[in-house]
Amino acid sequence: MKKKSNMKKFKKGFKMATTPLVVVLKMIGTVILCALMIAIITVMIVACAATVFVVNLMEDTSEISLDDISSSYTTYIYAQSGDEWIVYDTLTSEGEKRIWADLEEIPQYVRDAFVYSEDERFYSHDGVDFYGIATAVAEIFLKGNVRGASSITQQTVKQITGDDDADGIEGVQRKLREIYRAVQLEKNYSKDDILEAYLNLVPLNNNIYGVQAAANYYFNKDVSQLTLAESACIAAITKNPYYNDPINFPESNYERRVYILDQMLENGAISTEEYEGALNEELNLIGSMDYNSSSSEDVDTSALSAYDNFDDVSSYYVDAVIYQAVDYFMSYYGYETWNEAYQELCSGGYKIYTCVDLDIQIELEEKYLDLYTFSEDGNEDIPQSAFICMDYSGRILAVVGGIGEKESPLGLNRATMSTRQPGSSIKPLASYSLAIENDLVTWSTLLLDVPLLIEDSSSENGYLVWPRNYSTSGAYTSSWSKEYNTVASNLQRSLNTGAAQLVELLSPSTSFEFLYYRLHLSTLVLYEDGLTDVARSPMAVGALTNGVTLQDITTAYQIFGNGGKYYESTFITRILDSTGEAIYTHSLIGEQVIDESTAYVMNRMLESVVSSSRGTARNAKLDNVELIAKTGTTQDWCDLWFIGCTPEYVTGLWIGHDTPEEIDTDNCYGSAAMWKNIFGDIADAGEVTTFDTCSSVVTREYCTETGLIAGSNCTSTATGYYKKTNIPATCSGVHEVTELDQTLSALSSSSTACIVTDGVDLNDYIELTGNNYTYITEILREFY
């Protein structure tokens, strides 16, 4: 009984002793449970918030495409040298150098060097190397080392998007976007696709991006030619592009290079022998983008131009290539502004193959740097000048747009940009060729050297006696010989009266339509602010509203040396985009604008402009090669022109001041002599010395008194060229003096005769002005 009592007391005492402890434990448990519940709820709230944040972030994060990489690539401009294409110049966006290379063109050495140094688990992860990230975090806490853990896929994403925020919440958001995009990229593209993009985008020093540009710059090689050591050298740069540059910091690059080779050896990418060889290989570092893929030999850039500052300002030819390409891009891609198209050209990795003949281009540049080319004493007080040379398919071989050192890129090119009145150089195009084409005249048709009497609302009395003639020395005179001259002689001497009469026969509208629609002189004005080029003066003597460019009028003259075909002129043969697809190819299909026989008759007429003792281009005559040419002079002696063609080349020369003013001919050569100074040596060394003949054109002796084919009784004869379809009748040999002949011979030298044009009321004119000229109604002299 006593034991039971003691047990009860013990239990009661124990219960009393443990009650506070239980209460405390219960309270602690409750607190812990509450804290745990709060923590769980907090974590759930944070997790939900984070989930919502990430979901929203991902919804706002667009996926990227390797098919539309927006990064920029270097555009290369090529020139042909012999059988090789060499780099003539390059274009970059803000100095960046990028050249695309397909993965199959990139050696395995290069691929492995980057993979095993930047992302050795590249082929096993799904876009993000979480093991690498964990290792990097561990090293921060254990060793204090900070190293990158971005996979090649993530680095590719970063280069494509340009998304590079690094600090604060923005940095976290960027990293999340990058991870998401990397995972998505791996789902949509193969490892090879991603590696190809990375190797073309990876940033290196000196604004170089990608392994192809690096191979060009550092080793003057194509990426496919890189050795193992060179591959490791380039891969070493990317860790710290400035400090690991092999030219500026060779020791640092070598240290990193050793690490890369160790990684490649450890992963079985190279053998021990290859490893040892690469460690000991001496690198030949270049440090220049003047690489030419078609030749293993280095190219001396000084051989590409006569300009000492060529690397900074480019040549007139390169500028012209750029302007043509930009104009094409605006049409092809639909850009609204010139600058947009220019940026595409500079950053699109295009390959532009030009028509330039480097030998001719450099020689022209040298001539335009030498003032003795333009004046006997090298006088600096000379006007400006431009020159262009092309072949008979419109391919422009050389161009210079100004005298002296070129001072800036994309500046004024007077050969392609300046529009000036062409003067008499328009005559073969607007009047003579069309008159022969339409069988209105022949070589020996006689035209009377007298002006036209025309209605002219701008004149004081509403009438005008027009045009006056320039003398061979350039003087502008109102003296007319009142003599008959053949069509060929009119062209030789560049008489304005003859051209005016031919345009009168054709009508100004016919001439305009031919120039504008067939010869594509697009600067001509149909109607603009009350002005028009559909008129006598513009079509007969070149007094155009806006003028023409030297390029355009020279292009038109090709028809006189290639059988009457017009080819659009071009500086570019073809353009390839960054994928190698041709987006532009110059057409070599010409348009037959005049008959072959017309072209050859004109060819022979223009030859006489050079060979005749009275020809205006006689001072340009060559010793070995045929030259056909036409000079041009504008009103008040403001412009001089010379369009000259040999069997191989079509050339154009312009001389004048940028702001039109009279040229002081005492300070410079005439246009013919100047052309010979500039191009004579090149032209006279041509392999083809004469123009091809035309089977549909014949030569005949004609009577100089009547212009008809000479008969047996004709004592004064000369040789002319005639289309077989339009040969004049044979002269009877009876050269009677007509009443008109008698009237003209009786006039004094100061007297004037003129041809009355349609619409003129002669009686009203005489009454209004009191002028008592000798009036003639016929334009062509007719023989019966």
Side-chain angles (χ1 to χ4, degrees):
M1 292 294 292
K2 190 176 183 176
K3 289 182 178 179
K4 290 183 179 179
S5 177
N6 290 338
M7 181 61 67
K8 288 180 178 179
K9 290 180 179 180
F10 173 78
K11 289 180 177 179
K12 184 177 180 180
F14 178 80
K15 184 175 181 180
M16 292 175 65
T18 58
T19 299
L21 178 63
V22 171
V23 171
V24 170
L25 289 175
K26 286 183 178 180
M27 291 177 64
I28 292 173
T30 301
V31 170
I32 292 173
L33 181 62
C34 289
L36 181 62
M37 292 298 294
I38 291 171
I40 292 172
I41 293 171
T42 300
V43 169
M44 292 178 65
I45 291 172
V46 171
C48 290
T51 301
V52 172
F53 171 77
V54 171
V55 169
N56 289 336
L57 182 66
M58 294 307 103
E59 287 180 353
D60 293 336
T61 301
S62 59
E63 296 183 12
I64 61 174
S65 170
L66 299 184
D67 302 324
D68 187 27
I69 295 176
S70 60
S71 301
S72 60
Y73 296 93
T74 301
T75 289
Y76 274 71
I77 299 173
Y78 292 96
Q80 192 164 19
S81 178
D83 295 330
E84 306 287 353
W85 286 98
I86 65 173
V87 175
Y88 189 23
D89 212 335
T90 59
L91 300 174
T92 60
S93 178
E94 298 180 353
E96 294 180 356
K97 307 172 184 71
R98 302 176 185 257
I99 309 169
W100 183 270
D102 293 334
L103 189 63
E104 57 266 24
E105 299 171 351
I106 302 174
Q108 194 65 44
Y109 282 150
V110 178
R111 306 184 208 181
D112 291 341
F114 279 91
V115 168
Y116 293 121
S117 62
E118 292 294 313
D119 186 4
E120 62 181 313
R121 282 172 291 279
F122 171 69
Y123 288 105
S124 59
H125 64 62
D126 293 324
V128 181
D129 184 7
F130 291 105
Y131 176 82
I133 294 174
T135 302
V137 172
E139 288 187 3
I140 292 174
F141 287 104
L142 298 177
K143 300 180 181 179
N145 295 335
V146 179
R147 68 178 180 89
S150 293
S151 67
I152 281 178
T153 310
Q154 288 174 268
Q155 293 181 53
T156 303
V157 167
K158 183 177 179 179
Q159 288 304 312
I160 292 175
T161 61
D163 196 356
D164 59 358
D165 290 322
D167 300 324
I169 188 63
E170 291 83 4
V172 174
Q173 291 176 332
R174 191 270 299 173
K175 201 66 179 178
L176 290 172
R177 286 194 298 270
E178 184 181 284
I179 290 173
Y180 172 77
R181 284 167 165 162
V183 172
Q184 295 302 314
L185 194 66
E186 292 264 356
K187 290 180 180 180
N188 297 328
Y189 293 94
S190 69
K191 291 288 186 180
D192 281 351
D193 291 335
I194 296 169
L195 183 60
E196 179 183 69
Y198 170 77
L199 291 175
N200 280 286
L201 295 172
V202 60
L204 303 164
N205 199 28
N206 299 304
N207 276 331
I208 293 171
Y209 293 80
V211 294
Q212 179 66 278
N216 293 176
Y217 180 82
Y218 287 105
F219 299 107
N220 197 24
K221 287 184 175 182
D222 186 83
V223 67
S224 64
Q225 300 171 325
L226 291 177
T227 66
L228 171 58
E230 292 166 344
S231 302
C233 173
I234 291 174
I237 301 172
T238 191
K239 182 69 176 178
N240 188 327
Y242 175 76
Y243 190 66
N244 286 339
D245 185 281
I247 294 177
N248 299 326
F249 300 98
E251 297 84 1
S252 298
N253 182 273
Y254 182 78
E255 182 180 342
R256 178 67 179 173
R257 194 157 77 239
V258 171
Y259 167 78
I260 293 172
L261 292 170
D262 286 341
Q263 289 293 102
M264 295 176 73
L265 179 64
E266 182 180 331
N267 284 277
I270 56 175
S271 66
T272 303
E273 291 77 16
E274 290 175 313
Y275 174 82
E276 295 291 342
L279 283 179
N280 297 317
E281 182 178 329
E282 184 176 348
L283 302 181
N284 180 28
L285 293 162
I286 304 299
S288 170
M289 287 301 292
D290 296 318
Y291 163 73
N292 291 279
S293 60
S294 61
S295 174
S296 60
E297 299 179 1
D298 295 350
V299 173
D300 181 5
T301 56
S302 65
L304 299 178
S305 176
Y307 302 132
D308 293 335
N309 56 352
F310 175 61
D311 289 339
D312 298 322
V313 303
S314 69
S315 69
Y316 284 106
Y317 198 100
V318 169
D319 287 358
V321 168
I322 292 171
Y323 278 111
Q324 182 180 340
V326 169
D327 287 345
Y328 177 73
F329 278 17
M330 291 184 71
S331 171
Y332 184 80
Y333 290 116
Y335 289 113
E336 294 184 359
T337 68
W338 194 93
N339 284 335
E340 287 177 324
Y342 177 66
Q343 287 303 314
E344 171 64 25
L345 175 65
C346 291
S347 63
Y350 296 93
K351 294 182 178 180
I352 303 176
Y353 295 86
T354 70
C355 309
V356 66
D357 184 312
L358 285 176
D359 292 335
I360 298 178
Q361 178 66 28
I362 294 169
E363 185 162 348
L364 291 185
E365 290 171 357
E366 290 173 346
K367 293 293 180 65
Y368 268 73
L369 290 173
D370 183 3
L371 294 180
Y372 286 94
T373 301
F374 308 97
S375 67
E376 186 176 359
D377 56 0
N379 194 323
E380 294 185 0
D381 188 21
I382 56 175
Q384 264 297 343
S385 177
F387 196 96
I388 196 165
C389 171
M390 63 186 69
D391 66 15
Y392 283 99
S393 295
R395 291 173 292 206
I396 298 173
L397 307 177
V399 65
V400 178
I403 297 173
E405 193 79 29
K406 190 169 182 285
E407 297 178 352
S408 62
L410 299 178
L412 174 63
N413 186 334
R414 297 168 181 85
T416 61
M417 298 177 178
S418 297
T419 54
R420 302 295 286 259
Q421 292 189 1
S424 295
S425 63
I426 205 170
K427 293 174 183 176
L429 305 170
S431 54
Y432 286 89
S433 61
L434 279 185
I436 292 173
E437 174 80 356
N438 290 286
D439 293 336
L440 297 178
V441 297
T442 68
W443 178 288
S444 55
T445 298
L446 296 178
L447 302 175
L448 185 59
D449 181 21
V450 296
L452 304 177
L453 176 60
I454 60 176
E455 287 186 306
D456 181 32
S457 58
S458 64
S459 298
E460 182 179 352
N461 53 31
Y463 294 94
L464 184 66
V465 176
W466 173 89
R468 296 181 292 174
N469 287 318
Y470 275 101
S471 70
T472 56
S473 64
Y476 201 31
T477 174
S478 58
S479 174
W480 299 282
S481 68
K482 298 180 287 292
E483 297 176 350
Y484 283 101
N485 298 278
T486 64
V487 166
S489 180
N490 270 269
L491 185 60
Q492 289 168 18
R493 298 169 58 192
S494 198
L495 296 176
N496 288 340
T497 51
Q501 291 170 32
L502 294 179
V503 169
E504 196 69 18
L505 287 170
L506 290 160
S507 81
S509 61
T510 299
S511 296
F512 179 91
E513 289 172 2
F514 179 68
L515 296 181
Y516 190 84
Y517 295 108
R518 305 302 298 277
L519 297 182
H520 307 283
L521 297 182
S522 59
T523 55
L524 269 60
V525 172
L526 179 60
Y527 185 83
E528 180 180 293
D529 298 328
L531 301 174
T532 181
D533 287 332
V534 188
R536 293 182 176 96
S537 185
M539 293 297 97
V541 296
L544 303 177
T545 304
N546 295 330
V548 293
T549 65
L550 181 61
Q551 176 183 347
D552 285 349
I553 196 166
T554 304
T555 301
Y557 264 74
Q558 66 185 302
I559 66 175
F560 301 131
N562 67 5
K565 291 184 178 180
Y566 176 89
Y567 293 84
E568 181 183 8
S569 61
T570 182
F571 293 90
I572 301 170
T573 61
R574 59 195 171 110
I575 302 175
L576 308 183
D577 64 17
S578 59
T579 69
E581 180 181 353
I583 63 170
Y584 169 80
T585 301
H586 178 63
S587 174
L588 293 178
I589 300 176
E591 177 187 2
Q592 193 78 41
V593 296
I594 57 174
D595 188 75
E596 182 183 5
S597 59
T598 299
Y600 190 64
V601 171
M602 285 300 306
N603 179 286
R604 295 297 84 192
M605 281 191 185
L606 291 169
E607 191 279 332
S608 73
V609 175
V610 178
S611 61
S612 170
S613 61
R614 302 183 74 180
T616 58
R618 60 188 179 277
N619 289 334
K621 187 175 183 180
L622 303 172
D623 295 330
N624 305 312
V625 173
E626 270 192 331
L627 172 67
I628 66 173
K630 184 69 187 77
T631 59
T633 307
T634 60
Q635 188 171 358
D636 298 327
W637 204 239
C638 289
D639 303 272
L640 300 179
W641 299 77
F642 188 97
I643 315 297
C645 309
T646 69
E648 293 182 79
Y649 306 114
V650 187
T651 66
L653 166 67
W654 169 83
I655 308 152
H657 296 278
D658 290 329
T659 301
E661 62 179 271
E662 183 177 351
I663 298 171
D664 185 353
T665 55
D666 292 333
N667 287 333
C668 66
Y669 293 116
S671 62
M674 197 179 294
W675 180 92
K676 191 171 184 179
N677 288 346
I678 296 169
F679 201 73
D681 292 343
I682 299 172
D684 228 3
E687 296 180 0
V688 183
T689 59
T690 59
F691 287 93
D692 292 336
T693 60
C694 175
S695 60
S696 56
V697 173
V698 296
T699 58
R700 293 288 188 271
E701 293 295 310
Y702 67 89
C703 173
T704 60
E705 294 190 43
T706 64
L708 302 177
I709 299 302
S712 57
N713 295 325
C714 296
T715 57
S716 177
T717 64
T719 302
Y721 289 78
Y722 302 91
K723 296 162 57 176
K724 286 184 176 180
T725 55
N726 189 28
I727 300 174
T730 300
C731 182
S732 65
V734 179
H735 306 143
E736 296 181 354
V737 177
T738 66
E739 183 178 349
L740 176 58
D741 293 336
Q742 294 174 339
T743 302
L744 292 173
S745 62
L747 294 176
S748 67
S749 59
S750 61
S751 299
T752 300
C754 56
I755 297 172
V756 181
T757 60
D758 290 341
V760 172
D761 186 333
L762 187 55
N763 293 327
D764 178 67
Y765 172 74
I766 294 173
E767 182 178 351
L768 181 65
T769 65
N771 292 329
N772 190 22
Y773 298 149
T774 296
Y775 302 105
I776 304 164
T777 56
E778 65 180 27
I779 291 179
L780 302 179
R781 185 170 189 178
E782 298 180 358
F783 293 90
Y784 302 97

